[in-house]
Amino acid sequence: MTATDAGLLTGPALAEQDEPAPRLRLAAADYLTLGNALCGFMAVWQLAAAQSAQLSAGVEGPLQRSAIATSVVLLLIAAACDLFDGRVARRFGGSGMGAELDNLADVISFGFAPAFFVVAWGTLSGGGGAVPIVAAAAVLLAVVVRLARFSCQAPGSDTFSGLPSPFGAMAVITIVLLDPPVYVGAAAVLVVAWLMVSQVEYPKPRGGKAFVVLAWILGSVGCLTAWAADAPAGGALLYSGASLVLVLILAIPVHLLLTGRRGRRDSGDPA
């Protein structure tokens, strides 16, 4: 650039020239993000391999519990990587690719993987025609839209707009594990997809509430993991873990709705 060209740069253009270039090498947090994406892919591969083997053998009915267990554990590991990559980035520094990598990994683990769960469940359950495919597509598109919207929002808010995608993926997988009738399950999956792109506010847990939510999630995960490992009283464990997941997802917006209305009444504002 010549001196004349440099003299023509003013305002934002000059400010952009002064900003340091973002770091484009992988940081420690990025490897956790890549682990998230890899676990999501491996969960889909495990489920696809088990489904192919079962169809080739002519075996009807739901997938074997061991195959489902492996996929569920892989997605739980993906969720753990997603939980800690941000903390590692804040502690040790991140790269200029961190946010983009995180969104791409989340699409795989919390969009495509649970959508494939729905497809596999619908295929092996029989009936319903294209209904499970529509529900699965709704989950994938909802996660894509949600992540794009999240990237455009200003940081620092105390709430999430819509159900966070890891919770949405957990809810979708829980519905599949309960193995309801196809139309009932597809309708429930569509509700979860709508919650992810809705304007329903989910508070970011902080302080004591964060420990309560974490304990609640660990309780549900523990029940589902014990069920997947073929522990005794498997039915009770499955329904207990599923209930904890669904109550957490549905109770938060109901609580906010009720407390919001109460606050408006106390302040004299119309409900």
Side-chain angles (χ1 to χ4, degrees):
M1 178 181 295
T2 64
T4 304
D5 293 333
L8 295 176
L9 294 177
T10 58
L14 187 59
E16 290 178 3
Q17 287 249 326
D18 294 338
E19 291 179 358
R23 176 184 174 182
L24 297 181
R25 291 182 297 175
L26 293 175
D30 296 330
Y31 288 101
L32 284 174
T33 306
L34 293 176
N36 171 10
L38 180 61
C39 287
F41 164 74
M42 293 298 292
V44 172
W45 170 80
Q46 170 67 25
L47 206 61
Q51 182 183 18
S52 177
Q54 185 163 320
L55 292 175
S56 298
V59 179
E60 297 182 354
L63 287 175
Q64 294 183 352
R65 188 179 296 188
S66 58
I68 297 176
T70 303
S71 295
V72 170
V73 169
L74 284 167
L75 288 183
L76 291 175
I77 296 174
C81 291
D82 184 62
L83 175 65
F84 287 106
D85 61 1
R87 297 175 182 270
V88 171
R90 287 190 292 271
R91 178 66 176 83
F92 299 104
S95 71
M97 302 182 293
E100 287 73 17
L101 284 176
D102 191 60
N103 281 345
L104 293 171
D106 286 355
V107 168
I108 297 172
S109 297
F110 308 132
F112 182 71
F116 192 82
F117 263 82
V118 176
V119 171
W121 162 73
T123 301
L124 296 174
S125 297
V131 172
I133 305 297
V134 172
V139 170
L140 176 61
L141 294 178
V143 171
V144 171
V145 171
R146 171 178 174 73
L147 292 172
R149 186 176 67 184
F150 180 77
S151 299
C152 298
Q153 291 176 335
S157 174
D158 292 332
T159 60
F160 294 108
S161 179
L163 179 66
S165 53
F167 285 170
M170 190 184 301
V172 169
I173 293 170
T174 299
I175 293 168
V176 171
L177 293 180
L178 290 174
D179 193 24
V182 173
Y183 288 102
V184 174
V189 169
L190 288 173
V191 169
V192 174
W194 173 80
L195 282 174
M196 284 193 282
V197 295
S198 70
Q199 298 298 321
V200 176
E201 292 186 347
Y202 282 80
K204 295 179 180 178
R206 304 180 188 277
K209 291 182 179 179
F211 289 102
V212 173
V213 172
L214 179 60
W216 194 288
I217 293 174
L218 290 176
S220 64
V221 168
C223 289
L224 294 176
T225 304
W227 168 83
D230 205 13
L237 289 169
L238 172 60
Y239 286 106
S240 297
S243 299
L244 288 172
V245 172
L246 298 178
V247 167
L248 176 65
I249 291 170
L250 296 175
I252 292 176
V254 171
H255 170 72
L256 289 176
L257 180 63
L258 294 176
T259 54
R261 286 182 175 178
R262 188 180 303 116
R264 286 193 293 268
R265 290 194 187 101
D266 294 341
S267 64
D269 294 336

